[in-house]
Amino acid sequence: MLANAVIQIGLFFLIVVAISVPLGRYMARVFSHEPTLLDPALRPIERLIYRLAGVHPETEQSWVEYAVAMLLFSAAGMLLLYALQRLQGLLPLNPQGLSAVAPDLAFNTAASFTTNTNWQAYAGESTMSYLTQMAGLAFHNFVSAAAGIAIAIAVIRGFVRRNAKTIGNFWVDLTRATLWILLPLSIVMALALVWQGVPQNFAPYVQTQTVAGATQTIAQGPVASQEAIKELGTNGGGFFNANSAHPYENPTPLTDLIEMLAIISIGAGLTHTFGRMVGDRRQGWALFGAMAILFLMGVAIATWSEQRGNPMLTRAGADQRASAAQSGGNMEGKEVRFGIVDSALWATITTDTSCGAVNSMHDSFTPLGGLIPLLNMQIGEIIFGGVGSGLYGMLVMAVLAVFIAGLMVGRTPEYLGKKIEGREMKLAMLFILVFPLVILIPAAIAIVLPAGLAGISNPGPHGFTQVLYAYTEASANNGSAFAGLNANTPFYNVTLGLVMLAGRFLMKIPVLALAGSLAAKRTVPPSAGTFPTNGAVFVILLVGVILIVAALTFFPADALGPIVEQLAMRHGRLY
Amino acid sequence: MRLWVALRMTIVLAVLTGLVYPLAIAEIGHALFPFQADGSLVRRGGAIVGSSLIGQNFSAPRYFQGRPSAAGDKGYDADASGGSNLGPTNKALATAVAARVRELRERNPGATAAPVDLVTASGSGLDPEISPAAAALQIPRVAKARGLGEDAIQALVRANTRPRFLGLFGEPGVNVLMLNLALDRLRPGGRPTGS
């Protein structure tokens, strides 16, 4: 069993390395406007989009113009999604006759998908029409991901350019990320998913008489197209309530493998895109290395804890021992086809990135197994990370790491030839501080207000973890859940919606300002006193800084939730 | 001006990624894989009896039983997928599992261990599979209820067991619906009938 776990996780990691290098090279070409194989097919579509939208692709934007374009585009998309939900009863492609979504839920969902969070306070199959799923939700899956990639590229340009006033054109980066990266990968992946059994139809739900004579209504829909972009764009919003645990979203171990690779590959590839664009591939490998260390640590702990199981299940008479005939372990909330290893691996990946799709129910994980997804989000989803957001989050941590290294030796810190000075550090600290602020304060409010307490479904420390997890995932734009929390209430819909917007835009704006500030600087040549950021020492320092920042910020809160629950569980305490 | 560009860009990309793309996948998907695109629906005598990917409730002794389900009030509601979301230290989980273990032992006299997947609710509530251990435990009961030899049942279980992908990824599973349909096709002598 241990051997199989090591082989599955090890092979998975090797495939990620093998995919991310060429993918990173390809993305660097796309955003440097170098020729690619897809140009003959895509250039005409690109030009048509610019003409229809009135974009002047040759115009460059300052960081302020870039940020304004991103904000206006997000606002327009959020409005479209809100309108589609409110009007879906009158619109086509609604064979189940689903009625308008309530205003607070429609706001929450619009904020959620616009910010790439894809938190779902609703059950897809009983709430959203096919049209809303496609043109509302899947559309945002594409463009919120494309906007994330665009901003990461803009930040890279900030490091590359010298004495420059501009960092690119948002509309061009958005369009190219959609056309050259997300759409082609989605088409191939969606067809592979259909082959494996993921439905893609517009039929009404199927009414059957089961073998045992009961009736069963089987929800249908255009699932495959949405499933593909949901993973590739690290969005995570499921077509169905059970998300990728649903056999229609994720029917086989092969689809599970494809979907996990889709979640992680673009984020991993962007480290190499970064290395190529800054002209030193080892810089990219250094970030990749730091991410890989954190990833492997997380998945090892989560897998071990879930496989070890829950002593309470053994006392109740269940056999949790692994054998050739069963996976064993804590199977509550998990699917037989994924067992322990693929469930723990998925839970780690989906929170390393900002995906939030789940193939098992995190609420039913052992406390330690559930702590890993929570921690992954609390360190900022920079382990490969959300498409785009992972890279720029990691770059902010790298800036912090060189700053701390500079303090230790008493020199002005540099990163990639750019002097890191007061303005850059203020922006980096703003980015780092906004995040815990919008998690811990709303969570603290929720656990003293009756409206917040009313949503908790599990007693004891686990109930607190449910609330902490909800605000963490909302701020981190993740969207996975301790799903027992009854969050479809005006209180949670509104507060979580606002936290998602803050977690996205209050962090993106400082990052773009940082990019603008760096682009305007000249580049200094490396000297004997320059701390090299492409070697093992930097990787270790970076991992250390990330863990210390997260631990200092979140340990007290986590101690009240999963940590105390783990101790209680080992001592046989129930609530 | 900028807002106007943002609105036009939203519409253009919504049409491309929200309409053209899913419609194209539906067209190509149906051309290449029509059975899967329509939900892998299984028919018996012309009537749809379910989907090979979606689990359903079985309680009669002559059928293999699937995992406990938290989907809908009665379980296996394929219009209301989801797990129990009971936490690991929740008393309600301990009580539910203990009751399932008791029931399992009553239904399957002689069963020693209770495979964990057979007494815990799946994540989707629609898990179509059980572990090979969970199937093996039920073979004597099903054989007795049908008046068949255990060997014949054993062979069917094996035929409906999906191995790991490439022998490495995921876990093996036994598809409960397909296994039960195959059982119904068996004549008492132990050989499948024509239909």
Coordinates of all heavy atoms in Angstrom, one line a residue, chain A residues 4 8 52 125 134 142 175 194-195 197 200-201 205 210-211 216-217 219 225 241-242 245-248 310 312 319 325 331-337 342 361 364-365 458 565 575, chain B residues 8-9 17-18 21-22 30 36-37 39 53 55-56 67 76 78-79 81 84-91 94 101 114 116 120-124 126-127 132-133 162 164 168 170-171:
Chain A
N4 N 2.5 1.6 -3.3 CA 1.6 2.2 -4.4 C 1.4 3.7 -4.2 O 1.4 4.4 -5.1 CB 0.2 1.5 -4.4 CG -0.7 2.1 -5.4 OD1 -1.5 2.9 -5.0 ND2 -0.6 1.7 -6.6
Q8 N 2.3 6.2 -7.1 CA 1.3 7.1 -7.7 C 1.7 8.6 -7.6 O 1.6 9.4 -8.5 CB 0.0 6.9 -7.0 CG -0.8 5.7 -7.4 CD -2.3 5.9 -7.1 OE1 -2.9 6.8 -7.5 NE2 -2.8 4.9 -6.4
L52 N -14.0 43.5 -33.0 CA -15.3 43.6 -32.4 C -15.4 44.3 -31.1 O -16.3 45.0 -30.8 CB -15.8 42.1 -32.2 CG -16.2 41.3 -33.4 CD1 -16.5 39.9 -33.0 CD2 -17.4 41.9 -34.2
E125 N -27.0 21.2 -9.9 CA -28.0 20.5 -10.6 C -29.4 21.0 -10.3 O -30.3 20.7 -11.1 CB -27.9 19.0 -10.5 CG -28.0 18.4 -9.1 CD -26.6 18.3 -8.4 OE1 -25.8 19.3 -8.4 OE2 -26.3 17.2 -7.9
M134 N -23.1 27.5 -18.8 CA -22.2 27.7 -19.9 C -21.7 29.1 -20.0 O -20.6 29.5 -19.9 CB -22.9 27.3 -21.2 CG -23.0 25.8 -21.3 SD -24.3 25.3 -22.5 CE -24.0 26.5 -23.9
F142 N -13.1 30.7 -17.9 CA -12.0 31.1 -18.9 C -11.4 32.4 -18.5 O -10.2 32.6 -18.4 CB -12.6 31.2 -20.3 CG -12.7 29.9 -21.0 CD1 -13.9 29.2 -21.0 CD2 -11.6 29.4 -21.6 CE1 -13.9 28.0 -21.7 CE2 -11.7 28.2 -22.3 CZ -12.8 27.5 -22.4
T175 N -6.7 38.1 -24.2 CA -7.2 37.4 -25.4 C -6.2 36.3 -25.7 O -6.6 35.2 -26.0 CB -7.2 38.4 -26.5 OG1 -8.1 39.5 -26.2 CG2 -7.8 37.7 -27.8
V194 N -15.2 13.2 -22.3 CA -16.4 12.6 -22.9 C -16.1 11.1 -23.2 O -16.9 10.3 -22.9 CB -16.9 13.3 -24.2 CG1 -18.1 12.6 -24.8 CG2 -17.2 14.8 -23.9
W195 N -15.0 10.9 -23.8 CA -14.6 9.5 -24.1 C -14.7 8.6 -22.8 O -15.1 7.5 -22.9 CB -13.2 9.5 -24.7 CG -12.5 8.2 -24.7 CD1 -13.0 7.0 -25.3 CD2 -11.2 7.9 -24.1 NE1 -12.0 6.0 -25.1 CE2 -11.0 6.5 -24.4 CE3 -10.2 8.6 -23.5 CZ2 -9.8 5.9 -24.0 CZ3 -9.1 8.0 -23.1 CH2 -8.8 6.6 -23.3
G197 N -16.6 9.1 -20.3 CA -17.9 9.0 -19.7 C -18.5 10.3 -19.2 O -19.6 10.2 -18.6
Q200 N -22.0 15.3 -22.2 CA -22.1 16.6 -22.8 C -23.3 16.7 -23.7 O -23.3 16.3 -24.8 CB -20.8 16.8 -23.7 CG -20.7 18.2 -24.4 CD -20.3 19.3 -23.5 OE1 -20.0 19.1 -22.3 NE2 -20.4 20.5 -24.0
N201 N -24.4 17.1 -23.0 CA -25.7 17.1 -23.8 C -26.6 18.2 -23.2 O -26.2 18.8 -22.2 CB -26.4 15.8 -23.7 CG -26.7 15.4 -22.3 OD1 -27.4 16.1 -21.5 ND2 -26.3 14.2 -21.8
Y205 N -33.3 16.1 -17.5 CA -32.8 15.1 -16.6 C -33.6 13.8 -17.0 O -34.7 13.8 -17.3 CB -33.0 15.5 -15.2 CG -32.3 16.7 -14.7 CD1 -32.4 17.2 -13.5 CD2 -31.4 17.3 -15.6 CE1 -31.7 18.4 -13.1 CE2 -30.7 18.4 -15.3 CZ -30.8 19.0 -14.0 OH -30.1 20.1 -13.6
T210 N -35.3 2.1 -11.5 CA -34.1 1.4 -11.2 C -34.4 -0.1 -11.2 O -35.6 -0.6 -11.2 CB -33.6 1.8 -9.8 OG1 -34.5 1.4 -8.8 CG2 -33.3 3.2 -9.7
V211 N -33.3 -0.9 -11.1 CA -33.5 -2.4 -11.1 C -34.3 -2.8 -9.9 O -35.1 -3.7 -9.9 CB -32.1 -3.0 -11.0 CG1 -32.2 -4.5 -10.8 CG2 -31.3 -2.7 -12.3
Q216 N -35.5 7.1 -10.3 CA -34.3 7.8 -10.1 C -34.2 8.9 -11.2 O -34.5 8.6 -12.3 CB -33.1 6.9 -10.2 CG -31.8 7.6 -9.7 CD -30.5 6.6 -9.9 OE1 -30.5 5.8 -10.8 NE2 -29.6 6.8 -8.9
T217 N -34.0 10.1 -10.8 CA -33.9 11.2 -11.7 C -32.4 11.5 -11.9 O -31.7 11.9 -10.9 CB -34.6 12.5 -11.2 OG1 -35.9 12.2 -11.0 CG2 -34.5 13.6 -12.2
A219 N -29.5 13.8 -13.3 CA -29.2 15.1 -13.8 C -28.2 14.9 -15.0 O -27.4 14.1 -15.0 CB -28.6 16.0 -12.8
S225 N -17.4 20.1 -21.1 CA -16.8 21.4 -21.5 C -16.5 22.2 -20.3 O -15.5 22.9 -20.2 CB -17.7 22.2 -22.5 OG -19.0 22.4 -21.9
N241 N -23.4 19.4 -7.4 CA -23.1 19.7 -6.1 C -21.9 18.9 -5.5 O -21.0 19.5 -4.8 CB -24.3 19.3 -5.2 CG -24.1 19.8 -3.8 OD1 -23.7 20.9 -3.5 ND2 -24.4 18.9 -2.8
A242 N -21.7 17.7 -5.9 CA -20.6 16.8 -5.4 C -19.3 17.1 -6.1 O -18.3 16.5 -5.8 CB -21.0 15.4 -5.5
A245 N -16.2 14.7 -7.2 CA -16.5 13.4 -6.6 C -17.6 12.7 -7.4 O -17.8 11.5 -7.4 CB -16.9 13.5 -5.2
H246 N -18.4 13.6 -8.1 CA -19.6 13.0 -8.9 C -19.1 12.2 -10.0 O -18.2 12.6 -10.8 CB -20.4 14.2 -9.4 CG -21.8 13.9 -9.9 ND1 -22.0 13.0 -10.9 CD2 -23.0 14.2 -9.4 CE1 -23.3 12.9 -11.1 NE2 -23.9 13.6 -10.2
P247 N -19.6 11.0 -10.2 CA -19.1 10.1 -11.3 C -19.3 10.7 -12.7 O -18.6 10.3 -13.6 CB -19.9 8.8 -11.1 CG -20.7 8.9 -9.9 CD -20.6 10.3 -9.4
Y248 N -20.2 11.6 -12.9 CA -20.4 12.3 -14.2 C -19.3 13.3 -14.4 O -19.0 13.7 -15.5 CB -21.7 12.9 -14.3 CG -22.8 12.0 -14.9 CD1 -24.1 12.4 -14.9 CD2 -22.5 10.8 -15.5 CE1 -25.1 11.7 -15.5 CE2 -23.5 10.0 -16.1 CZ -24.8 10.5 -16.1 OH -25.8 9.7 -16.6
N310 N -9.5 6.8 11.1 CA -10.2 7.5 12.2 C -10.4 6.4 13.3 O -11.1 5.4 13.0 CB -11.5 8.1 11.8 CG -12.2 8.8 12.9 OD1 -11.9 8.6 14.1 ND2 -13.2 9.6 12.5
M312 N -12.2 6.2 15.7 CA -13.6 6.0 16.0 C -14.3 5.0 15.0 O -15.2 4.2 15.5 CB -14.3 7.4 16.0 CG -15.8 7.3 16.2 SD -16.6 7.5 14.7 CE -16.6 9.2 14.5
D319 N -13.4 -2.0 9.2 CA -12.1 -2.4 8.9 C -11.4 -1.4 8.0 O -11.7 -1.3 6.9 CB -12.1 -3.8 8.3 CG -10.8 -4.3 7.9 OD1 -9.8 -3.7 8.4 OD2 -10.7 -5.4 7.2
A325 N -7.5 -5.8 -1.6 CA -8.9 -5.8 -2.0 C -9.7 -4.6 -1.5 O -10.8 -4.4 -1.8 CB -9.6 -7.0 -1.4
M331 N -12.7 6.4 4.8 CA -13.4 6.5 3.5 C -14.7 7.3 3.6 O -15.4 7.4 2.6 CB -13.7 5.1 3.0 CG -12.5 4.3 2.4 SD -11.9 5.2 0.9 CE -13.2 4.8 -0.3
E332 N -15.0 7.9 4.7 CA -16.2 8.7 4.8 C -16.0 9.9 3.8 O -15.0 10.7 4.0 CB -16.4 9.2 6.2 CG -17.6 10.1 6.4 CD -19.0 9.3 6.2 OE1 -19.0 8.1 6.5 OE2 -20.0 10.0 5.8
G333 N -16.9 10.1 2.9 CA -16.8 11.2 2.0 C -15.8 11.0 0.8 O -15.5 11.9 0.1
K334 N -15.4 9.8 0.7 CA -14.5 9.5 -0.5 C -15.1 8.4 -1.4 O -15.9 7.7 -1.0 CB -13.1 9.0 0.1 CG -12.3 10.0 0.9 CD -10.9 9.6 1.2 CE -10.2 10.6 2.0 NZ -10.8 10.8 3.4
E335 N -14.6 8.4 -2.6 CA -15.1 7.5 -3.6 C -14.2 6.3 -3.8 O -12.9 6.4 -3.6 CB -15.1 8.2 -5.0 CG -16.0 9.5 -5.0 CD -17.5 9.1 -5.1 OE1 -18.0 8.5 -6.1 OE2 -18.2 9.5 -4.1
V336 N -14.8 5.1 -4.0 CA -14.0 3.9 -4.1 C -12.9 4.0 -5.2 O -11.8 3.6 -5.0 CB -14.9 2.6 -4.4 CG1 -14.1 1.4 -4.9 CG2 -15.7 2.3 -3.1
R337 N -13.3 4.6 -6.4 CA -12.3 4.6 -7.5 C -11.1 5.4 -7.2 O -10.0 5.2 -7.8 CB -13.0 5.0 -8.8 CG -13.6 6.4 -8.8 CD -14.5 6.6 -9.9 NE -15.2 8.0 -9.9 CZ -16.1 8.3 -9.1 NH1 -16.6 7.5 -8.2 NH2 -16.6 9.5 -9.2
D342 N -5.5 9.0 -4.1 CA -5.9 10.0 -5.1 C -6.8 11.1 -4.4 O -6.9 12.2 -4.9 CB -6.7 9.3 -6.2 CG -5.7 8.7 -7.2 OD1 -4.5 8.7 -6.9 OD2 -6.1 8.2 -8.2
M361 N -14.9 14.7 0.2 CA -15.4 15.8 1.0 C -14.5 16.2 2.1 O -14.3 15.4 3.1 CB -16.8 15.4 1.6 CG -17.9 15.2 0.5 SD -18.1 16.6 -0.5 CE -18.1 16.0 -2.1
S364 N -15.1 15.8 5.9 CA -15.0 14.5 6.6 C -13.6 13.9 6.7 O -13.4 12.8 7.1 CB -15.9 13.5 5.9 OG -17.3 13.9 5.9
F365 N -12.6 14.7 6.3 CA -11.2 14.3 6.5 C -10.9 14.2 8.0 O -11.5 14.8 8.8 CB -10.3 15.3 5.8 CG -10.0 15.0 4.4 CD1 -11.0 14.6 3.5 CD2 -8.7 15.2 3.8 CE1 -10.7 14.3 2.2 CE2 -8.4 15.0 2.5 CZ -9.4 14.5 1.7
N458 N -21.2 20.7 12.2 CA -20.5 19.8 13.1 C -20.2 20.4 14.4 O -19.7 21.5 14.5 CB -19.2 19.3 12.4 CG -19.5 18.2 11.4 OD1 -20.0 17.2 11.6 ND2 -19.1 18.5 10.1
E565 N -8.7 19.4 17.5 CA -9.5 18.2 17.2 C -8.7 17.0 16.9 O -9.2 15.9 17.2 CB -10.4 18.6 15.9 CG -11.5 17.6 15.7 CD -12.2 17.7 14.4 OE1 -11.7 18.4 13.5 OE2 -13.2 17.0 14.2
Y575 N -17.9 14.6 19.9 CA -18.7 15.8 20.2 C -20.2 15.6 19.7 O -20.4 15.0 18.8 CB -18.1 17.0 19.6 CG -16.7 17.3 20.1 CD1 -15.6 16.8 19.5 CD2 -16.6 18.1 21.3 CE1 -14.3 17.1 20.0 CE2 -15.3 18.3 21.8 CZ -14.2 17.8 21.1 OH -13.0 18.1 21.6
Chain B
R8 N -17.8 45.3 -24.5 CA -17.8 44.6 -25.8 C -16.9 43.3 -25.7 O -17.2 42.2 -26.2 CB -17.2 45.5 -26.9 CG -18.3 46.5 -27.4 CD -17.7 47.7 -28.0 NE -17.1 47.4 -29.3 CZ -16.5 48.3 -30.1 NH1 -16.4 49.6 -29.6 NH2 -16.0 48.0 -31.2
M9 N -15.8 43.4 -25.0 CA -14.9 42.3 -24.8 C -15.7 41.2 -24.0 O -15.5 40.0 -24.3 CB -13.7 42.8 -24.0 CG -12.5 41.9 -24.1 SD -11.8 42.0 -25.7 CE -10.4 40.9 -25.5
T17 N -16.5 31.5 -25.5 CA -16.2 30.5 -24.5 C -17.4 29.9 -23.9 O -17.4 28.8 -23.4 CB -15.2 31.0 -23.4 OG1 -16.0 32.1 -22.7 CG2 -14.0 31.6 -24.0
G18 N -18.5 30.7 -23.9 CA -19.7 30.3 -23.2 C -20.8 29.6 -24.1 O -21.7 28.9 -23.6
Y21 N -17.9 27.2 -27.7 CA -17.1 26.1 -27.2 C -17.9 25.0 -26.7 O -17.7 23.8 -27.2 CB -16.1 26.7 -26.2 CG -15.5 25.7 -25.2 CD1 -14.6 24.7 -25.6 CD2 -15.9 25.8 -23.9 CE1 -14.1 23.8 -24.7 CE2 -15.4 24.9 -23.0 CZ -14.5 23.9 -23.4 OH -14.0 23.0 -22.4
P22 N -18.9 25.2 -25.8 CA -19.6 24.0 -25.3 C -20.5 23.4 -26.4 O -20.6 22.1 -26.4 CB -20.5 24.6 -24.2 CG -20.5 26.0 -24.3 CD -19.2 26.4 -25.0
H30 N -20.8 14.0 -29.4 CA -21.8 13.1 -29.9 C -21.4 12.3 -31.1 O -21.8 11.2 -31.3 CB -23.1 13.8 -30.1 CG -24.0 14.0 -28.9 ND1 -23.9 15.1 -28.2 CD2 -24.8 13.1 -28.3 CE1 -24.7 15.0 -27.1 NE2 -25.3 13.8 -27.1
Q36 N -21.4 7.8 -24.3 CA -20.9 8.5 -23.2 C -21.5 10.0 -23.1 O -21.9 10.4 -22.0 CB -19.4 8.7 -23.2 CG -18.7 7.3 -23.1 CD -18.3 6.8 -24.4 OE1 -19.1 6.7 -25.3 NE2 -17.1 6.3 -24.6
A37 N -21.6 10.6 -24.2 CA -22.1 12.0 -24.2 C -23.5 12.1 -23.7 O -23.9 13.1 -23.1 CB -22.0 12.6 -25.6
G39 N -24.7 10.2 -21.3 CA -24.7 9.9 -19.8 C -24.5 8.4 -19.6 O -24.9 7.9 -18.5
L53 N -22.6 4.7 -14.7 CA -21.7 5.5 -13.8 C -22.4 6.0 -12.5 O -21.7 6.5 -11.7 CB -21.2 6.8 -14.6 CG -20.4 6.5 -15.8 CD1 -20.1 7.8 -16.6 CD2 -19.1 5.8 -15.4
G55 N -24.6 5.2 -9.2 CA -25.0 4.1 -8.3 C -26.5 4.2 -8.0 O -27.1 5.2 -8.2
Q56 N -27.1 3.1 -7.6 CA -28.5 3.1 -7.1 C -28.7 2.2 -5.9 O -27.8 1.4 -5.6 CB -29.5 2.8 -8.3 CG -29.1 1.6 -9.2 CD -30.0 1.5 -10.4 OE1 -30.9 0.6 -10.3 NE2 -29.9 2.3 -11.4
R67 N -22.7 1.4 -1.5 CA -22.2 2.1 -0.3 C -23.4 2.9 0.3 O -24.3 3.3 -0.5 CB -21.1 3.0 -0.6 CG -19.9 2.3 -1.2 CD -18.8 3.2 -1.4 NE -18.3 3.8 -0.2 CZ -17.5 4.9 -0.1 NH1 -17.0 5.4 -1.2 NH2 -17.1 5.4 1.0
Y76 N -28.8 7.9 -3.0 CA -28.7 7.7 -4.4 C -29.7 8.6 -5.2 O -30.2 8.2 -6.2 CB -28.9 6.3 -4.8 CG -27.6 5.5 -4.4 CD1 -27.6 4.7 -3.2 CD2 -26.5 5.6 -5.1 CE1 -26.5 4.0 -2.8 CE2 -25.3 4.9 -4.7 CZ -25.3 4.1 -3.6 OH -24.2 3.5 -3.2
A78 N -30.0 11.1 -7.8 CA -29.0 11.6 -8.8 C -29.4 13.0 -9.2 O -28.8 13.5 -10.2 CB -28.9 10.6 -10.0
D79 N -30.3 13.6 -8.5 CA -30.6 15.1 -8.8 C -30.1 15.9 -7.5 O -30.4 17.0 -7.4 CB -32.1 15.2 -9.0 CG -32.4 16.6 -9.4 OD1 -31.6 17.4 -9.9 OD2 -33.6 17.0 -9.3
S81 N -26.7 15.3 -5.6 CA -25.5 14.6 -5.2 C -24.8 15.3 -4.0 O -25.1 16.5 -3.7 CB -24.5 14.7 -6.3 OG -24.2 16.0 -6.7
S84 N -22.0 13.2 3.3 CA -22.7 13.4 4.6 C -22.1 14.7 5.2 O -22.8 15.4 6.0 CB -22.4 12.3 5.6 OG -21.0 12.3 6.0
N85 N -20.8 15.0 4.9 CA -20.1 16.1 5.6 C -20.1 16.0 7.1 O -20.0 17.0 7.8 CB -20.6 17.5 5.1 CG -20.2 17.7 3.7 OD1 -19.0 17.6 3.3 ND2 -21.2 18.1 2.8
L86 N -20.2 14.8 7.6 CA -20.0 14.6 9.0 C -18.5 14.6 9.4 O -17.7 14.0 8.7 CB -20.6 13.3 9.5 CG -22.1 13.2 9.4 CD1 -22.6 11.8 9.7 CD2 -22.8 14.2 10.3
G87 N -18.1 15.4 10.4 CA -16.7 15.5 10.8 C -16.3 14.3 11.5 O -17.1 13.4 11.9
P88 N -14.9 14.1 11.6 CA -14.4 12.9 12.2 C -14.6 12.7 13.7 O -14.5 11.6 14.2 CB -12.9 13.0 11.9 CG -12.6 14.5 11.8 CD -13.9 15.0 11.2
T89 N -15.0 13.7 14.4 CA -15.3 13.6 15.8 C -16.7 13.8 16.1 O -17.1 14.1 17.2 CB -14.4 14.6 16.7 OG1 -14.6 15.9 16.2 CG2 -12.9 14.2 16.6
N90 N -17.6 13.7 15.1 CA -19.0 13.9 15.3 C -19.7 12.6 15.7 O -19.5 11.6 15.1 CB -19.6 14.4 13.9 CG -21.0 14.9 14.1 OD1 -21.7 14.5 15.0 ND2 -21.4 15.9 13.2
K91 N -20.4 12.7 16.9 CA -21.0 11.5 17.4 C -22.0 10.9 16.4 O -22.1 9.7 16.4 CB -21.9 11.9 18.6 CG -21.2 11.6 19.9 CD -22.1 11.9 21.1 CE -21.3 12.1 22.4 NZ -21.6 13.2 23.2
A94 N -20.2 8.3 14.3 CA -19.9 7.1 15.1 C -21.2 6.3 15.2 O -21.1 5.0 15.0 CB -19.4 7.5 16.5
V101 N -22.6 -1.3 10.6 CA -21.8 -2.5 10.9 C -22.7 -3.6 11.4 O -22.7 -4.7 11.0 CB -20.6 -2.2 11.8 CG1 -19.9 -3.5 12.3 CG2 -19.6 -1.3 11.2
A114 N -15.8 -5.6 8.5 CA -16.7 -4.7 7.8 C -15.9 -3.8 6.9 O -15.3 -2.8 7.5 CB -17.6 -4.0 8.7
V116 N -14.4 -0.8 5.2 CA -14.7 0.5 5.6 C -15.6 1.2 4.5 O -16.5 2.0 4.8 CB -13.5 1.4 5.9 CG1 -12.6 1.6 4.7 CG2 -13.8 2.7 6.5
T120 N -19.3 3.5 5.2 CA -19.2 5.0 5.2 C -19.8 5.5 3.9 O -19.8 4.8 2.8 CB -17.7 5.4 5.2 OG1 -17.0 4.6 4.1 CG2 -17.0 5.1 6.5
A121 N -20.4 6.7 4.0 CA -21.0 7.3 2.8 C -20.0 7.9 1.9 O -19.0 8.4 2.3 CB -21.9 8.5 3.3
S122 N -20.2 7.8 0.6 CA -19.3 8.3 -0.4 C -19.4 9.8 -0.5 O -20.3 10.4 0.0 CB -19.6 7.6 -1.8 OG -20.9 8.0 -2.2
G123 N -18.4 10.4 -1.3 CA -18.4 11.8 -1.4 C -19.6 12.3 -2.3 O -20.2 13.4 -2.0
S124 N -19.9 11.6 -3.3 CA -20.9 12.0 -4.3 C -22.3 11.6 -3.8 O -23.3 12.1 -4.3 CB -20.6 11.5 -5.7 OG -20.7 10.0 -5.7
L126 N -23.3 9.0 -5.0 CA -23.7 8.2 -6.2 C -22.6 7.2 -6.6 O -22.6 6.8 -7.7 CB -24.0 9.2 -7.3 CG -25.0 10.3 -7.1 CD1 -25.0 11.3 -8.2 CD2 -26.4 9.7 -6.9
D127 N -21.7 6.9 -5.6 CA -20.6 6.1 -6.0 C -21.1 4.8 -6.6 O -21.9 4.0 -6.0 CB -19.8 5.7 -4.7 CG -18.4 5.2 -5.0 OD1 -18.2 4.6 -6.1 OD2 -17.5 5.3 -4.2
P132 N -13.4 -4.5 -3.9 CA -13.4 -6.0 -4.0 C -13.7 -6.7 -2.7 O -14.4 -7.7 -2.7 CB -12.1 -6.3 -4.6 CG -11.6 -5.1 -5.4 CD -12.2 -3.9 -4.6
A133 N -13.1 -6.1 -1.6 CA -13.4 -6.7 -0.3 C -14.9 -6.7 0.0 O -15.5 -7.6 0.6 CB -12.6 -6.0 0.8
R162 N -13.2 -3.4 -12.0 CA -12.3 -2.6 -12.8 C -11.0 -2.5 -12.1 O -10.9 -2.1 -10.9 CB -13.0 -1.2 -12.9 CG -12.1 -0.1 -13.6 CD -12.6 1.3 -13.4 NE -12.9 1.5 -12.0 CZ -12.0 1.7 -11.1 NH1 -10.7 1.6 -11.4 NH2 -12.3 1.9 -9.8
R164 N -7.0 -1.0 -11.4 CA -6.4 0.3 -11.4 C -6.0 0.7 -12.8 O -5.7 -0.2 -13.6 CB -5.1 0.3 -10.5 CG -5.3 0.3 -9.1 CD -4.0 0.3 -8.3 NE -4.2 0.6 -6.9 CZ -3.5 0.0 -5.9 NH1 -2.6 -0.8 -6.2 NH2 -3.8 0.3 -4.7
L168 N -1.7 1.0 -11.7 CA -1.1 1.9 -10.8 C -2.0 3.0 -10.2 O -2.0 3.2 -9.0 CB 0.0 2.7 -11.5 CG 1.3 1.9 -12.0 CD1 2.2 2.8 -12.8 CD2 2.0 1.4 -10.7
G170 N -5.4 5.1 -9.0 CA -6.7 4.9 -8.5 C -6.8 3.6 -7.7 O -5.7 3.0 -7.3
E171 N -8.0 3.1 -7.5 CA -8.2 1.9 -6.7 C -9.1 1.0 -7.5 O -10.0 1.5 -8.2 CB -8.8 2.1 -5.3 CG -7.9 2.9 -4.4 CD -6.7 2.2 -3.9 OE1 -6.8 0.9 -3.9 OE2 -5.7 2.8 -3.5

